[in-house]
Structures are given as C-alpha cells and as structure tokens.
Amino acid sequence: MIIDANTETRTQRYRGVSYTRPIDAAKEAVPVIDLADRLCGAGGLRRIGQEWVGRCPLPDHEDRSPSFTVNPEKNVWFCHGCLRGGDVVELARLAWGYDEREAHLAAALLLLEFGHEVPQRPPAWFRKQERQRHTRVAVEETKKNIVRRRLFKHLILPLLNAIEDEEEHSRELERAWSEFQRLMT
Ligand SMILES: [Zn+2]
C-alpha cells in the first residue's frame, strides 16, 4: 500500500470544493497511484526513479514484462505494452470495462470505491427539472379538463336540456357541473 502526504492534502482540497461533474471530482479526489496500487495488488508496483512500474492491470492486456508505469508527480499512467495512458478516470474506465461515453460512470464508481461522495447535479439542473415537471403537470391538468368538459357536454347536458324552466335549468346545470367535477377528480 502506498500512502503519501499528497493523498491527504488532495482529499482535503477536494472536500472543500463542490464539483459539479463526477469526472472532475474523481480526477481531483483520487490520485492515479492509489487506483494503480489497488488494481496491481500488493507488491504489484515497484519504484524505479520517479515512477512506479508493474504489470499492466488492464484486462485486455496480458503483460509478461512490467510495462505499466505510474508517475505520481504528474498524476498520470502509461503502459508501454498496450500504448495506453492518461489520467485516473481513463485508468478506471479501461480497467472496469466502460466505453468512452461512460467515463462519468467510471468516475462515479471511482469516487465511491475510494470513499468519496459522488457530486450532486448542479442546482440549475434541478431547477430545470422542476420547471419541466410543473409544465408536465399543467399539460396533464389541461387535458383532464378538456376530457371532463367533453364528457359533461355529452353525458349530462342532454339530461338537463329536458328542463324547460330557465332558472331551474341554470340551477341544475351549476349543481350538476360541480358534482360532475367532484366525481372526475
Ligand atoms: Zn497495458
């Protein structure tokens, strides 16, 4: 297990800032060496100069000679065997078999794996959702009202039309409409 002072400060810095995207948050919160260490297993990485070297942990690369390198200083990894490299999210993505469009999922999993919270969607996103929800509710309500009026017209009005007295007709109409609405809600 490799623990350096950087891990601690990185984590603290991350906690103080609210990130809106899991990819940014994961890059900030999880040092590439921590993930590499976990993927390569105990004693899987050896220090050579500035770098840590081991067998490539990516599932589609059967690495016989240690080709996988991590540079903790630059916080990047590179494999000289399969010629892939990048940041911590890229390593997680390839190691756990997510495709390129799913990098945010790999990032979210990475955060969870290392005990960090996955950032929430920004408040603007929730506000937009809320606005859309209100619109949907309003549209549904309008549809219901149209159906209600249509049914009333076809089912109830013909019955009331039999009432000749105008006053009685409007009184019955009012009563029928309010009863009908109660029925329909
Ligand atoms: Zn490789």
Side-chain angles (χ1 to χ4, degrees):
M1 185 63 196
I2 303 152
I3 298 171
D4 61 1
N6 272 344
T7 308
E8 200 56 37
T9 49
R10 242 181 253 284
T11 305
Q12 279 169 4
R13 201 163 71 227
Y14 164 67
R15 292 217 169 106
V17 181
S18 77
Y19 283 89
T20 52
R21 298 176 62 227
I23 291 175
D24 294 335
K27 283 183 196 172
E28 188 63 27
V30 185
V32 86
I33 191 68
D34 288 10
L35 177 62
D37 189 46
R38 188 173 292 192
L39 293 173
C40 291
L45 291 170
R46 284 182 305 128
R47 180 156 206 159
I48 299 176
Q50 295 285 338
E51 296 188 326
W52 290 82
V53 180
R55 287 192 181 169
C56 182
L58 299 181
D60 54 354
H61 179 200
E62 231 178 277
D63 191 14
R64 292 203 179 98
S65 60
S67 319
F68 179 76
T69 62
V70 178
N71 185 322
E73 192 85 17
K74 294 179 184 161
N75 204 25
V76 292
W77 63 279
F78 187 77
C79 175
H80 296 276
C82 59
L83 300 177
R84 286 176 293 187
D87 58 35
V88 70
V89 173
E90 185 67 356
L91 181 57
R93 188 180 77 71
L94 292 169
W96 296 332
Y98 288 94
D99 74 33
E100 276 169 42
R101 289 160 306 169
E102 296 170 328
H104 62 289
L105 298 177
L109 187 58
L110 190 57
L111 286 166
L112 292 172
E113 280 283 311
F114 283 85
H116 300 289
E117 274 177 38
V118 178
Q120 296 293 308
R121 303 238 187 207
W125 185 85
F126 285 106
R127 283 198 296 273
K128 192 176 167 208
Q129 286 298 105
E130 190 61 13
R131 276 201 304 276
Q132 286 173 344
R133 197 181 66 82
H134 283 313
T135 310
R136 276 199 301 276
V137 168
V139 167
E140 280 309 302
E141 198 53 35
T142 307
K143 274 193 208 158
K144 263 192 238 160
N145 283 334
I146 290 169
V147 169
R148 217 176 273 161
R149 279 199 298 272
R150 202 170 285 164
L151 277 176
F152 185 79
K153 193 175 156 198
H154 291 296
L155 293 175
I156 313 294
L157 277 187
L159 301 175
L160 296 178
N161 284 343
I163 301 168
E164 275 173 23
D165 184 80
E166 215 170 288
E167 227 174 273
E168 202 194 338
H169 182 268
S170 65
R171 214 175 31 243
E172 280 300 312
L173 183 64
E174 216 168 286
R175 190 188 296 161
W177 175 239
S178 74
E179 278 173 9
F180 185 74
Q181 275 190 307
R182 242 201 335 268
L183 255 170
M184 294 293 290
T185 44

